[in-house]
Amino acid sequence: MKSGRYIGVMSGTSLDGVDVVLAAIDERMVAQQASYCHPVPQPLRQALLAINQGQSLTLSQLGQLDTQLGRLFAEAVLTLLKQQNLSADDITAIGCHGQTVWHEPYGEAPSTLQIGDNNQIVAATGITVVGDFRRRDMALGGQGAPLVPAFHQALLMHPQERRMVLNIGGIANLSLLIPGKPVGGYDTGPGNMLMDAWIWRHRGQPYDKDGAWAAGGKVILPLLQQMLGDAWFALPAPKSTGREYFNAGWIEKQLAHFPGIAPHDVQATLLELTAVTVSEQVLLSGGCERLLVCGGGGRNPLLMARLAALLAGTEVVTTDKVGINGDDMEGLAFAWLAYRTLSGLPGNLPSVTGAREASILGAIYPANRLAR
């Protein structure tokens, strides 16, 4: 087993920062030691958002973004190392998810693309990097997502309690940790993504802090019903999605038959869409005793309150309550996935992604130093 200190690097669909998490990992434990959120320069963030919403770009532009992101990820890692007074020799490897710019798991030739050149990270940090985690699962017939349920199983599975873990990033996804059953998991639809896009357009803010803007609006039920009628929500698991589907253009399409709705009422309706689509899937999956929430949505008290109201009888709490910082969960997961890859262990769960078999994931970018 390749035990040691690992750094996980995660830049999610919300594009609100690069999360880097330091952890000591072996076959028995994952012990978080530090974390840091590195800012994303606004021009880079806007360029990435434009790709996800269908704006065309040249191969030259894509290549430049790939390099810029790799350098940004390296900056984030180096900042964390400096903060912790550590050197490259103290770290076994970096697990880097990369920035998803396209995810198309359906059709004749399913594909997914994460950018952020891992060679740039190795060159700048001198640390081995494991990346490109999703495409092996897709080559085996899987969705390539979500991958985090395997980590949730390792850390949060309980022998008696029916648990589900809900990650509310840009997209929301569920991990089903039900004793005696194979672990399940899938995307439920938009998490913060649509709310973030809407408040950015109307108020120039990256997100709705504490759900305050949505709290000042009212849910427009006919609009909500139309949104819930989108065919994607009726797809069976395994399923996954991203910003290439749920984006500002999707909101505009929904609003085409509802002119004149106040922007804060749209925001309230988008929040309710997230709460309803999540709660429906929890109930359709048999319900749970405890819903453990991580990701940025867990910091939105209005969204948490709506989930609790829609899931009467279920304890809805953040993963902080069980000792794992909800903001760092995905970064920890990709540090753990790097450990699994270097240890020759599978990182996917076929019961979650639909892959034909469990598999070692990712590509290894070795540093120019002797293996320890």
Side-chain angles (χ1 to χ4, degrees):
M1 297 294 184
K2 196 67 171 177
S3 303
R5 279 176 162 170
Y6 287 78
I7 292 176
V9 180
M10 182 67 194
S11 175
T13 48
S14 291
L15 288 165
D16 51 2
V18 178
D19 293 322
V20 282
V21 183
L22 173 69
I25 303 177
D26 63 27
E27 59 184 317
R28 299 178 309 278
M29 69 164 191
V30 177
Q32 181 177 342
Q33 298 181 332
S35 64
Y36 164 67
C37 185
H38 194 72
V40 179
Q42 195 58 41
L44 181 57
R45 182 176 188 269
Q46 289 303 113
L48 292 167
L49 288 173
I51 297 174
N52 289 121
Q53 296 182 26
Q55 181 172 311
S56 62
L57 77 168
T58 65
L59 290 175
S60 172
Q61 290 170 323
L62 181 62
Q64 289 179 55
L65 285 173
D66 188 39
T67 296
Q68 290 170 9
L69 268 172
R71 291 173 177 171
L72 184 71
F73 294 156
E75 286 176 14
V77 169
L78 290 170
T79 301
L80 179 67
L81 291 176
K82 184 176 181 181
Q83 289 176 351
Q84 300 301 312
N85 196 28
L86 296 172
S87 71
D89 287 335
D90 296 313
I91 308 300
T92 302
I94 296 165
C96 183
H97 172 268
Q99 178 63 51
T100 298
V101 293
W102 197 258
H103 185 69
E104 190 172 3
Y106 306 103
E108 291 186 8
S111 65
T112 187
L113 180 61
Q114 288 76 42
I115 63 172
D117 184 7
N118 291 308
N119 296 286
Q120 294 286 338
I121 305 174
V122 177
T125 65
I127 301 170
T128 293
V129 175
V130 184
D132 192 13
F133 288 99
R134 299 192 182 277
R135 291 197 292 178
R136 176 72 66 85
D137 183 85
M138 294 188 83
L140 291 167
Q143 293 268 316
L147 296 180
V148 178
F151 179 65
H152 292 159
Q153 178 189 35
L155 257 68
L156 295 170
M157 190 80 183
H158 191 277
Q160 287 90 35
E161 186 176 78
R162 293 175 62 89
R163 291 181 171 182
M164 295 184 189
V165 183
L166 170 65
N167 176 61
I168 312 177
I171 292 295
N173 51 70
L174 269 179
S175 299
L176 314 178
L177 308 180
I178 309 302
K181 293 186 178 181
V183 172
Y186 51 90
D187 290 350
T188 63
N192 302 313
M193 183 180 293
L194 298 180
M195 292 184 281
D196 291 351
W198 192 248
I199 195 170
W200 175 258
R201 171 178 293 187
H202 288 275
R203 308 192 78 174
Q205 297 172 10
Y207 67 100
D208 187 4
K209 183 174 173 57
D210 296 330
W213 194 39
K218 61 180 182 294
V219 175
I220 307 300
L221 287 176
L223 175 60
L224 176 63
Q225 289 301 319
Q226 177 172 293
M227 290 176 172
L228 290 169
D230 188 290
W232 188 90
F233 294 117
L235 290 174
K239 62 179 182 177
S240 55
T241 189
R243 193 182 295 278
E244 67 287 335
Y245 190 87
F246 290 107
N247 52 41
W250 187 89
I251 300 175
E252 292 299 335
K253 181 180 177 182
Q254 302 300 319
L255 289 173
H257 301 293
F258 294 90
I261 295 178
H264 61 298
D265 290 341
V266 175
Q267 187 76 355
T269 306
L270 291 172
L271 184 144
E272 189 71 3
L273 175 70
T274 295
V276 168
T277 51
V278 166
S279 60
E280 283 183 346
Q281 291 304 313
V282 169
L283 295 172
L284 287 171
S285 298
C288 61
E289 296 167 59
R290 184 181 296 189
L291 182 67
L292 297 167
V293 184
C294 56
R299 309 304 182 198
N300 184 326
L302 179 58
L303 181 53
M304 291 290 284
R306 289 302 301 140
L307 287 169
L310 291 166
L311 293 169
T314 298
E315 182 183 9
V316 180
V317 295
T318 66
T319 57
D320 299 58
K321 300 294 184 181
V322 291
I324 303 174
N325 188 311
D327 296 329
D328 298 333
M329 178 70 80
E330 287 200 295
L332 272 176
F334 283 92
W336 179 80
L337 284 168
Y339 159 78
R340 299 282 293 184
T341 298
L342 294 184
S343 299
L345 299 171
N348 64 334
L349 289 174
S351 61
V352 170
T353 67
R356 292 190 296 274
E357 62 188 38
S359 176
I360 299 169
L361 301 180
I364 300 170
Y365 300 75
N368 291 329
R369 52 195 171 105
L370 293 176
R372 297 192 297 277

